[in-house]
Structure formats: structure tokens, C-alpha cells
Amino acid sequence: MEDSLDKLYKNQGLIYKYILYVVTVGCIVFFFPRGGKFKYEFQKGKPWQYENLYAPFDFSIRKGEAEIAEEQQAIRERQIPYYTYDTAVVEEVSQNFLLDFQESLEDEQLSDSQKGRLTRIGEEVLVELYQNGILQKASGRDTPDDLYLVRNNEASRIRADALYSLSQVDSVVRGILNTRRAEQFYPLYQEVLFNALKPNVTYDAELSEKELADELSRISTTRGNVDEGKLIIARGEVVEAENLNILNSLKAEYESELWSENSQYFILFGYTILVALVLMMLFLFLQKYRPAIYRNNVKVTFIFFNVLLMVFLTTLVVKYDETYVFVVPLCILPLILKTFFDARLGLFVHVLTVLILGFVVPNSFEYTFLQIIAGIVTILTVSELYKRANLFISVGQITLIYIVGYFAFHIIHEGTLEDINIYTFGIFILNGMITLFAQPLIYIYEKIFGMISDVSLLELSDTNSRLLKELSNKAPGTFHHSLQVANLAEAAANAVGANAMLTRVGALYHDIGKMNNPTYFTENQVTNVNPHDDINPKESAEIIINHVIEGIELAQKNNLPDRVIDFIRTHHGTTRVYYFYKKELENNPEAEEADFTYPGPIPFSKETAILMMADSVEAASKSLVNPSYPVIEEFVEKIVNGQMKSNQFLNANITFKEIEMVKKVLKQKLTNIYHLRVEYPE
């Protein structure tokens, strides 16, 4: 049982990678569409490159979106609207008219027969006006030529000119009065009628929209059928017009969930194998070419999380509306990975992600081509993100590549610029604007995954930061030493292609532990009093060695990144405090060497190895009495070769050639620092 637990504990990192691998594959496949994948790739205007294609089953020819939209527009244009006839208004108007007209007749000197005749004429006017009704004009809506008039729940189609408007009332009244030879009574009718009349025919928006929806729903999305076994397209035939529509119909039918329902599990199994292969390539790449990243589960999780995030966003957009697939800022992926790791890894992961998305997106060849080219441009152009202008320039170049690529594909497919969609250019510009979100995203990732970017390193390199300010006040000699080491280490890192910014920051903070006991370190002693004279060599060595431990604690307390703390931890490796060790041997020949040895670990990266060399050389150079180039050359060789002899660089990924380059830079820099001046006369 104990052996099993011990084995499990030793392999927990590997077990975690297996779990991460399986979960990522499962999540990606879960995001994928459930339909099958059409096995043929074709493009408009291109010849059919496969064997003759026969219909594998019966299917309907689907209409294109433009064709359906044209039919819908035709239905809207010929739609006959519905209007409602309100009988309650007619009854109300009739009652009001008769009452008001009777009152008006009381003031006239007329016989009862004349009053009765005028009343009947008024009723005749009302009957004429409300036979089909008086139309109420709808603001912002033109009156159609024909309409359906709904009266008593029955609709009848009539001409619009069969309805009256309030502006036509005057001519109707005059016409009837002239016919009845009562035109002299027009003023009497005019006053009463215009006060009583109201429109009673209004536009019924709800019923009209319902009927329109019914008409639109009856539009057939297909036209004609293709029988099983019928030749669809022959080898070498150009894909265009009718056969393009048939191929698109076959593809849609093939990829539909309904058709592939019985084979759905086989399709998912196929997707799983392909995605698993892609992610396996990523693991193998990390294991062979980036072993340090492969061993770090946090970094591996970070990479897989970003791949999964891009797949999720893209599939989400495709399910919503595939037109917006290029809105997803896929170039953020190589940009971020280059920021935290390196360009080669960023491009490799980007290409693998695009291959995975090729299963999901429409026009997969165009998508893959544009995204890979844009990813290459991202890797080539994005550098020094801590300079604000660089990101804007890179995003502008990425957007331009998208636009030029789309422009070229459109010309290839259509052979003309007439139908080019300017709206797509807006999508690419929006993609670029979203890509600018990389800056705050980098900051978020730093906090979540505990990683560090050049932007944060630039902030840490500011000598006015609180911790470095405190170092310059408490231990000014150490602060000056750290600045000198930073300059030496940065120059050496540039020479061998290491991370110069990280090396400089590590050098600035590597001795912060000396703040606790600054006077015990010679660079901070401003008088001839040396506190080591009052204590034994073993205690002195303990104080010197403890500056590493105390520096780590101080760095953790001030939330310095782990990659910076690594420089504090390794800058002395497992070397000895040789001065006090020799002094102890004089008094005690049986002195334990372990009491005078730094706890380590030894440097485990190119940057930490460079710091160890620069730190030792700079500190020891203060003892040179008459520095000259031969003296400095011999001095540097002695110190670095001594470190190599004690196996301090055994775990660092630095070659002999690179060490020689570092030594060359250190010699040149020290020669410049200690250059001889002409002795001026007094």
C-alpha cells in the first residue's frame, strides 16, 4: 500500500497531465456540432477535384439565402393589408348627427315636411359616407391600392378608393345636395356633419402582421429533389450555378443532426480521435523542445486553457451566426503565448488550434489560411509589448492581412469586385479592436497563473519602486552593486539570446536580503569598523549565507514573482563562503564545510546562470588593485572556470559556447568600467 502511494505521489505531475489531456479533449468535442462532416471540399469557380459524385441518397435542393430573401421581399411587396370597420363609431355618429341636426332645424323657419325631407337627406349622406367607411390616415404609412376590410368578423377585398377620407366629405355632401336640389341648405349640413363625423376604418397591424407571418412561413426552403444515384457533378467540372447549389444542399443534408442521428456516436468518436491527435502533438512538442514548460503543470494548464478558450468562443459564435466567425480574436493566442514563453511555441499552438477549428467553421480552407497567415504576422511583428505603440502597430498589420486576404479570396471566387461586402471589412476591424484587449488579459493571467510578462518586468525594473528605494536607503553599497551586476548581466543575456529584461530585474533584486544586516557586507561599510571582527568565522558565514533566505522571505512578503525569486535563490548556488571557511580552518582544521556552504539550489536556467557569473565577477572585481585587460581576462576566467569546476551550471540550459560569450562580454564591460585615464597635471 505504501509503495503504491509513494508511486502515486512521485507520478502525480504525470497523472495530472493525463487528466488535463482527457478533460480538454472531452470539452472540445462537446463544443463541436453533432452533425457529420462533409468529406469533400469545394469552392465556387474551382473545378471538382474528386471522382464523379453521385447522390448517395434522396435529398431536396435547398434554396439559397438570397433566393429566400427575394421571395420574402416579393410577398411583403404584394401583401394586402387588413383594415377594421368599426360599426360602433357609425352608430355613435348617427345619433349625434340626428340630435344636433334636429336642434339646428328648430332655428329654421321650415315646415315639418321640409324638416323631414332634410333629415332624410342627412341620413342618406351618412349612409353614403359609411357604406364602406371613412378611413383614418395612419402616420408614416401609405394607403395601398387594395385592402381587406374586416366587418363583423368577415373580410372583403375592396379598392382603397372605395373608402372616403375626411377631406372628401365636403364633395360628397355637395354632390348629394345638388342631386336632391337642396344646395341652399349646405351651410346647415356643413356645421353639423363636420362636428359629428369620425373615421371608422383603421389599419389592423396585428392581423396584417399575422397574415404576413403565415404567408412567409409557407415559403418552401427547397425546390426540386435529387434522386439517389443521380450524377451531381463530374470530375473536372467547374463548380458554379446549379451544381454549386446542389452540392451545398447535399452538404447541409449530410451534416444535419437529423440525418446523422443514427451515426452520431461514431461521428463523436471520430472527432475525439482527431482532437486527441492534435493535442498529443502539443504534448510531444512540449516534452521534446520545451521540457521546462512540460514539467511545470501550471504552464501546461495555462496553454491548454487558452486553446480551450479560443475553441469555445469560436464554436459559440459559429452556432450563433457563422458570419461573425472572424470577430473572434484568435491572434490573441500567439500574442499571449509569445509574451509568456517564446515565438516558436506561440506559433505552434496557434496552428494546432486553427487545425481544430477547421472542423467547425465554414469555408475551412479560407479560414485556416487567413488565421495561419495572421498568426505568423503576429509572431513576426509583436515585440516589446511594454511599449504601448508596438501593440497598436501589430494589430493594425494583423487587421490589414485579414482584409487583404479576404479581398484576394473574393476575387478568386467571384472574378469581380462588384459584390464585395464592405461589412466584412468592419468585422476584421472589430477583430483588431478586440485584440487590443491582450494588454489587460496579460495582467489578468499574471494574477491567476502567477506568471510574469515584460510589462511587469519593466515595472519591477523601476529603481524608484518601494523595495529598491528601501534597498538604496538601507544598503546603498549593495544597491550600487546590484545596478552594476544588472548592467553586466543584461549585456551578457543579450549576447546569448536569453531574456535580458528578466535577467536585469533578477539582478536588481538578487541581494535584497542584505537589507536586514547591511553593515556585515563590505560594500556597505563606510568606516574601518568591521562587525565580523567581533564574531567567529562560523557566525559570520551564517550571516552571509542567511541573506539568501532572508531575501526570499522579503521577496515573498512583497509579492515578487516566482521567476524573480529564483534569481535570489540561485545566485550563489551551492558555493562556499570561502573567506570565512579558510579563516575557520586556521583555528579549527576539522571545520565542517557544510556550515560554510550556501543551501542552493544551483542555477537552473540560462538567465540565473548568467547572474551567478556576473554577480561573482562584479563583487570580486572590487579587489583588483591595478586592473588591466590581461589582469581582468585572467580574473574572469578564474572565477567562471571555478564555478564550472564546482558544477554550478549543471542544471542550466547554457552551453560552453554561450559561457564563453558571457565571459567575453564581462571582460569587455569590466575593461570599460576600469579603463585607465590620462593623469592630468596638478
Side-chain angles (χ1 to χ4, degrees):
M1 182 66 179
E2 290 182 1
D3 292 340
S4 299
L5 291 175
D6 185 56
K7 190 175 181 181
L8 183 66
Y9 178 77
K10 289 180 179 178
N11 294 295
Q12 60 179 336
L14 188 61
I15 294 171
Y16 174 80
K17 289 182 179 68
Y18 286 145
I19 295 173
L20 179 66
Y21 176 75
V22 172
V23 170
T24 306
V25 171
C27 289
I28 291 175
V29 174
F30 176 78
F31 296 148
F32 277 5
R34 295 293 179 265
K37 186 71 177 176
F38 195 51
K39 60 183 177 180
Y40 301 109
E41 285 285 343
F42 57 90
Q43 295 178 355
K44 182 180 179 181
K46 294 283 186 178
W48 182 255
Q49 300 177 349
Y50 309 97
E51 297 297 330
N52 295 355
L53 178 62
Y54 297 91
F57 47 81
D58 296 339
F59 64 93
S60 300
I61 303 175
R62 303 193 180 192
K63 296 178 182 177
E65 292 183 3
E67 188 177 355
I68 294 176
E70 187 178 339
E71 290 185 17
Q72 290 175 341
Q73 183 61 29
I75 289 175
R76 290 189 179 94
E77 290 176 354
R78 66 170 182 262
Q79 184 202 12
I80 300 175
Y82 283 78
Y83 285 77
T84 302
Y85 184 96
D86 193 342
T87 55
V89 172
V90 179
E91 292 174 0
E92 179 186 353
V93 169
S94 297
Q95 291 176 2
N96 292 338
F97 169 74
L98 290 175
L99 290 174
D100 293 343
F101 193 67
Q102 291 297 334
E103 291 180 4
S104 299
L105 290 178
E106 293 296 332
D107 298 332
E108 301 293 331
Q109 300 297 322
L110 299 171
S111 62
D112 291 341
S113 60
Q114 287 178 319
K115 292 179 180 179
R117 177 172 173 270
L118 292 177
T119 301
R120 287 192 295 276
I121 292 173
E123 291 174 345
E124 184 180 347
V125 170
L126 291 177
V127 170
E128 174 62 25
L129 290 173
Y130 286 107
Q131 181 179 359
N132 289 319
I134 299 175
L135 178 64
Q136 181 178 359
K137 287 284 187 180
S139 59
R141 182 177 182 83
D142 296 330
T143 305
D145 294 332
D146 293 332
L147 54 84
Y148 283 109
L149 187 63
V150 180
R151 185 188 301 188
N152 298 325
N153 294 325
E154 291 185 5
S156 57
R157 181 172 176 176
I158 64 171
R159 296 280 301 171
D161 53 19
L163 300 174
Y164 291 110
S165 63
L166 289 174
S167 61
Q168 296 175 306
V169 170
D170 186 70
S171 60
V172 173
V173 174
R174 288 184 183 276
I176 294 177
L177 291 179
N178 287 337
T179 304
R180 296 291 182 265
R181 301 180 184 281
E183 59 271 10
Q184 68 272 22
F185 296 104
Y186 172 75
L188 182 63
Y189 287 98
Q190 183 185 33
E191 181 182 356
V192 177
L193 278 172
F194 280 95
N195 287 333
L197 288 178
K198 293 180 181 179
N200 74 317
V201 176
T202 55
Y203 173 66
D204 193 333
E206 183 179 353
L207 183 57
S208 297
E209 290 296 326
K210 181 181 177 183
E211 288 298 319
L212 176 61
D214 289 343
E215 286 291 327
L216 294 176
S217 66
R218 286 195 284 270
I219 294 177
S220 175
T221 58
T222 63
R223 51 176 177 81
N225 296 306
V226 176
D227 297 329
E228 181 179 354
K230 181 180 177 180
L231 176 65
I232 296 176
I233 190 169
R235 181 183 179 88
E237 186 178 347
V238 177
V239 178
E240 57 183 357
E242 185 60 27
N243 56 20
L244 174 63
N245 197 12
I246 295 175
L247 285 171
N248 284 327
S249 301
L250 176 60
K251 181 179 179 180
E253 189 73 23
Y254 193 90
E255 294 179 352
S256 67
E257 294 186 23
L258 180 63
W259 186 84
S260 60
E261 193 173 278
N262 296 330
S263 57
Q264 191 178 83
Y265 294 109
F266 287 102
I267 293 170
L268 289 177
F269 180 67
Y271 276 143
T272 302
I273 292 176
L274 293 177
V275 173
L277 283 175
V278 172
L279 295 183
M280 186 183 295
M281 296 305 105
L282 177 54
F283 262 126
L284 293 175
F285 176 86
L286 293 175
Q287 187 178 34
K288 185 170 184 179
Y289 297 105
R290 300 294 183 272
I293 297 175
Y294 178 78
R295 290 192 295 269
N296 191 319
N297 283 337
V298 174
K299 293 180 179 179
V300 174
T301 304
F302 174 75
I303 295 170
F304 274 72
F305 172 79
N306 278 278
V307 172
L308 193 59
L309 179 63
M310 289 302 158
V311 172
F312 170 72
L313 290 177
T314 304
T315 52
L316 193 67
V317 170
V318 169
K319 288 180 181 179
Y320 173 72
D321 189 347
E322 62 185 28
T323 308
Y324 300 103
V325 67
F326 281 103
V327 170
V328 180
L330 202 63
C331 287
I332 280 184
L333 181 60
L335 191 154
I336 287 178
L337 293 182
K338 182 183 178 183
T339 300
F340 287 113
F341 304 112
D342 60 88
R344 188 178 177 187
L345 176 60
L347 182 59
F348 188 82
V349 174
H350 177 73
V351 171
L352 292 183
T353 306
V354 173
L355 290 178
I356 292 174
L357 293 176
F359 299 125
V360 181
V361 298
N363 299 320
S364 56
F365 173 76
E366 294 178 21
Y367 180 86
T368 303
F369 182 89
L370 286 177
Q371 294 292 10
I372 289 178
I373 292 295
I376 293 172
V377 171
T378 303
I379 293 298
L380 294 177
T381 60
V382 173
S383 61
E384 298 179 328
L385 277 182
Y386 55 84
K387 296 180 180 178
R388 291 172 294 180
N390 286 4
L391 180 61
F392 285 93
I393 294 171
S394 298
V395 167
Q397 293 172 331
I398 293 166
T399 305
L400 181 62
I401 288 296
Y402 277 129
I403 292 175
V404 171
Y406 168 76
F407 182 79
F409 273 114
H410 181 83
I411 293 175
I412 292 172
H413 294 164
E414 303 296 334
T416 178
L417 296 178
E418 293 179 359
D419 299 327
I420 196 164
N421 191 356
I422 304 298
Y423 177 73
T424 307
F425 295 155
I427 291 178
F428 292 137
I429 294 172
L430 180 60
N431 177 293
M433 294 175 65
I434 298 175
T435 305
L436 293 174
F437 185 70
Q439 279 282 22
L441 190 61
I442 288 171
Y443 176 79
I444 294 170
Y445 280 152
E446 286 179 339
K447 298 305 178 185
I448 294 176
F449 292 94
M451 305 176 75
I452 187 168
S453 67
D454 284 350
V455 180
S456 295
L457 289 175
L458 182 66
E459 294 174 356
L460 290 170
S461 67
D462 183 7
T463 54
N464 288 315
S465 63
R466 190 183 64 81
L467 197 55
L468 291 180
K469 201 76 173 176
E470 187 179 356
L471 178 63
S472 67
N473 291 331
K474 291 183 177 180
T478 300
F479 177 72
H480 184 265
H481 159 72
S482 298
L483 287 176
Q484 292 282 58
V485 173
N487 293 331
L488 292 173
E490 183 180 20
N494 279 320
V496 299
N499 190 330
M501 180 68 75
L502 177 62
T503 307
R504 179 176 183 82
V505 173
L508 288 173
Y509 289 90
H510 78 283
D511 270 345
I512 57 173
K514 292 182 179 180
M515 282 193 292
N516 291 348
N517 296 293
T519 57
Y520 282 88
F521 300 90
T522 55
E523 67 266 24
N524 299 312
Q525 295 171 1
V526 294
T527 65
N528 291 327
V529 178
N530 190 342
H532 288 289
D533 295 339
D534 299 329
I535 58 178
N536 62 59
K538 187 175 181 180
E539 290 176 331
S540 295
E542 185 178 358
I543 293 173
I544 299 298
I545 291 172
N546 280 345
H547 89 272
V548 174
I549 306 301
E550 292 169 353
I552 294 172
E553 293 174 352
L554 197 59
Q556 291 174 339
K557 183 179 178 181
N558 286 271
N559 297 317
L560 289 185
D562 288 339
R563 292 183 71 186
V564 176
I565 297 176
D566 288 340
F567 287 87
I568 303 173
R569 185 180 288 113
T570 62
H571 74 278
H572 283 295
T574 55
T575 59
R576 291 175 297 177
V577 186
Y578 191 72
Y579 176 82
F580 291 110
Y581 176 60
K582 294 293 289 184
K583 195 173 181 180
E584 178 70 13
L585 285 177
E586 293 174 2
N587 302 324
N588 179 18
E590 297 180 359
E592 291 288 340
E593 186 177 350
D595 295 334
F596 298 85
T597 303
Y598 285 97
I602 60 177
F604 47 79
S605 69
K606 193 179 296 185
E607 291 79 12
T608 52
I610 291 171
L611 175 64
M612 172 179 272
M613 289 184 268
D615 180 42
S616 300
V617 167
E618 201 286 329
S621 68
K622 297 295 189 295
S623 64
L624 295 176
V625 180
N626 294 311
S628 61
Y629 187 77
V631 172
I632 291 174
E633 183 176 18
E634 182 183 356
F635 164 76
V636 172
E637 290 286 345
K638 179 182 177 181
I639 290 178
V640 176
N641 289 341
Q643 291 172 337
M644 294 174 64
K645 188 176 180 180
S646 62
N647 297 324
Q648 294 301 308
F649 307 136
L650 201 61
N651 293 338
N653 58 335
I654 189 168
T655 64
F656 287 117
K657 181 179 179 180
E658 289 171 337
I659 292 174
E660 290 300 318
M661 293 173 67
V662 171
K663 289 194 291 187
K664 183 179 179 180
V665 171
L666 294 177
K667 294 170 188 176
Q668 290 174 345
K669 289 294 180 181
L670 287 176
T671 302
N672 293 335
I673 292 172
Y674 295 110
H675 67 282
L676 298 178
R677 292 183 179 272
V678 176
E679 186 175 349
Y680 291 97
E682 296 183 0

